[in-house]
Amino acid sequence: MSAADGAVRVCVETGRRLTFASALDWPGWSRSGRGEEAAIEALRAYTPRYLPVARAAGVKPPDPAGIEIVERFAGSASTDFGVPRRSRSWSASP
């Protein structure tokens, strides 16, 4: 499920060294970079891996052009180690 306008809902987790952009409605679609822009671009670049799965499931594929950041939060030492976490306020419903 994506936002009503077709955007991909994303949370951004920022540590001291790494930032993760994670698509809330697409499990496992999370990429890191050194800063928010780099993490979002890495997420966009990874889209082709999700297209066949979405099509096979009969779900509208994600549109990486429409990224909607719905949450930002501070990461921890785990973030800098390369392990994103989910926000406590995350919900599957828009």
Side-chain angles (χ1 to χ4, degrees), residues 26 49-62:
W26 297 90
R49 299 194 87 165
Y50 280 79
L51 297 179
V53 174
R55 288 183 185 122
V59 177
K60 182 179 177 183

